Amino acid sequence: MFDALSGKLTGVFDKLRQRGALSEADVTEAMREVRLAMLDADVALPVVKDFTTKVRERAIGREVMDSISPGQAVAKIVNDVLIEALGGAGAVPLNLAAAAPVAILMVGLQGSGKTTTSGKIALRLHTRERRRVLLASLDTQRPAAQLQLQQLAEKARVSSLPIVPGQTPVQIARRAMETGRREGFDVVILDTAGRLSIDEALMAEVREIRAETNPAETLLVVDAMTGQDAVNTAKAFNDAVGVTGIVMTRMDGDARGGAALSMRQITGAPIKLTGSGEKLEALEDFHPERVAGRILG
Ligand code: GDP
């Protein structure tokens, strides 16, 4: 991930550093190259425009131009603006401050990695934070989905809600919260059904489940490999149901990185976690400054 973008940006800044003194035209030329590199990496156009405008505004001024190493100063500005675009300094943690059992609602399209991510979050909360976690699959669309989550729960050594055939997603959600309360669970993770594309029925179902369970987090799972589509999906979900955070999966793939870079600005929601593999341990916090460091080499 980010390989091509990183290579191109490193090239631009190496050139700037070698120049010594910088003119406004040098900065303009560098920003033209940055713009092309970002567009090639599938970064959304408004994000690219905003990015290059901000860098230019901050770079073109006596302070930078007359500094001892202007190329270095511009590279520092790019780093700062990139961190801002990625969501600002520091990872945004999961908000689990509500009264137990705290509900986490997992939403997203089919195949995004939602069920796997539910298992990953369960494992993390169980092992790192010693929370009692109950996993519940509300996916009545795919017959195997509830079994898949049950198996993940076993692997993560957390509990899963017993499967009762014939219940609707809302009924399962209610039963999960009741079980959570009755049996003293700290966190109930609700894995909703995904569909192949966004439709009103899916959104209506999510809204109904949310009204029933009052989740502290509504986490949208998106696949980084789908590029601009991931951003469009996130915007549609956020507009329709409101999400509190995004989990971006398949960061281990060779995605060009545009989705990660565009997400915050286009959707307004922070990327909170990333998935980097099929294993349950492959879940990381999203640290904008570390990601910027990877991109800028
Ligand atoms: P769902 O339909 O959204 O619930 O998707 P699943 O959780 O069933 O995941 C679909 C496939 O993607 C499975 O084969 C997962 O192992 C795989 N997967 C999920 N997250 C990641 C990830 O971060 N990296 C990789 N390489 N594969 C992932």
Side-chain angles (χ1 to χ4, degrees):
M1 183 130 168
F2 300 124
D3 287 350
L5 178 63
S6 177
K8 284 180 197 159
L9 292 185
T10 312
V12 176
F13 298 118
D14 282 349
K15 244 189 333 193
L16 275 191
R17 278 194 203 97
Q18 283 158 13
R19 280 188 170 259
L22 278 192
S23 68
E24 201 173 317
D26 294 331
V27 174
T28 304
E29 170 57 18
M31 283 311 109
R32 198 186 64 82
E33 289 174 34
V34 168
R35 184 188 157 90
L36 291 177
M38 289 180 105
L39 288 174
D40 262 355
D42 243 0
V43 181
L45 186 58
V47 177
V48 177
K49 281 189 175 157
D50 220 61
F51 184 88
T52 48
T53 306
K54 271 193 195 149
V55 173
R56 243 186 84 84
E57 274 169 7
R58 294 189 204 176
I60 294 179
R62 293 262 68 89
E63 220 173 289
V64 172
M65 297 303 209
D66 294 347
S67 66
I68 301 170
S69 49
Q72 201 71 40
V74 173
K76 163 89 172 66
I77 292 168
V78 168
N79 187 55
D80 291 348
V81 177
L82 191 55
I83 292 170
E84 284 167 29
L86 289 164
V92 185
L94 289 182
N95 166 27
L96 302 177
V102 181
I104 302 179
L105 188 57
M106 306 295 295
V107 301
L109 294 179
Q110 193 176 311
S112 59
K114 196 163 29 63
T115 302
T116 311
T117 304
S118 301
K120 288 178 178 182
I121 293 175
L123 176 70
R124 168 192 277 223
L125 294 179
H126 169 65
T127 53
R128 278 205 210 162
E129 300 189 18
R130 299 262 156 246
R131 304 228 191 197
R132 290 197 65 214
V133 181
L134 177 68
L135 273 171
S137 170
L138 316 186
D139 189 348
T140 53
Q141 310 261 323
R142 277 193 309 132
Q146 298 193 41
L147 276 175
Q148 187 192 344
L149 194 69
Q150 208 168 48
Q151 284 160 1
L152 285 174
E154 280 166 24
K155 267 196 200 163
R157 297 182 186 280
V158 303
S159 303
S160 62
L161 189 72
I163 298 171
V164 176
Q167 285 200 319
T168 65
V170 173
Q171 287 170 334
I172 302 175
R174 193 176 302 143
R175 184 160 59 87
M177 296 313 290
E178 282 166 4
T179 305
R181 269 189 287 276
R182 196 179 55 240
E183 299 185 10
F185 283 95
D186 300 314
V187 179
V188 178
I189 301 177
L190 303 158
D191 182 22
T192 61
R195 290 194 176 74
L196 287 175
S197 61
I198 294 164
D199 59 29
E200 190 37 45
L202 175 64
M203 297 304 184
E205 186 176 293
V206 171
R207 278 194 292 264
E208 224 185 314
I209 294 164
R210 203 183 46 185
E212 180 67 40
T213 58
N214 189 26
E217 289 278 7
T218 301
L219 296 179
L220 173 71
V221 181
V222 294
D223 176 354
M225 298 294 286
T226 60
Q228 296 261 16
D229 280 346
V231 180
N232 296 337
T233 300
K235 185 156 172 36
F237 264 97
N238 199 28
D239 291 349
V241 300
V243 305
T244 56
I246 288 166
V247 185
M248 193 169 275
T249 61
R250 298 209 178 80
M251 297 288 279
D252 50 315
D254 58 358
R256 284 176 286 183
L261 263 161
S262 313
M263 203 50 97
R264 184 60 185 258
Q265 188 172 333
I266 302 289
T267 70
I271 300 176
K272 291 196 168 180
L273 297 164
T274 58
S276 59
E278 300 201 347
K279 291 217 173 91
L280 285 187
E281 291 77 15
L283 183 74
E284 287 85 32
D285 294 319
F286 184 77
H287 289 280
E289 58 281 74
R290 288 187 204 158
V291 176
R294 250 172 77 192
I295 295 172
L296 296 174

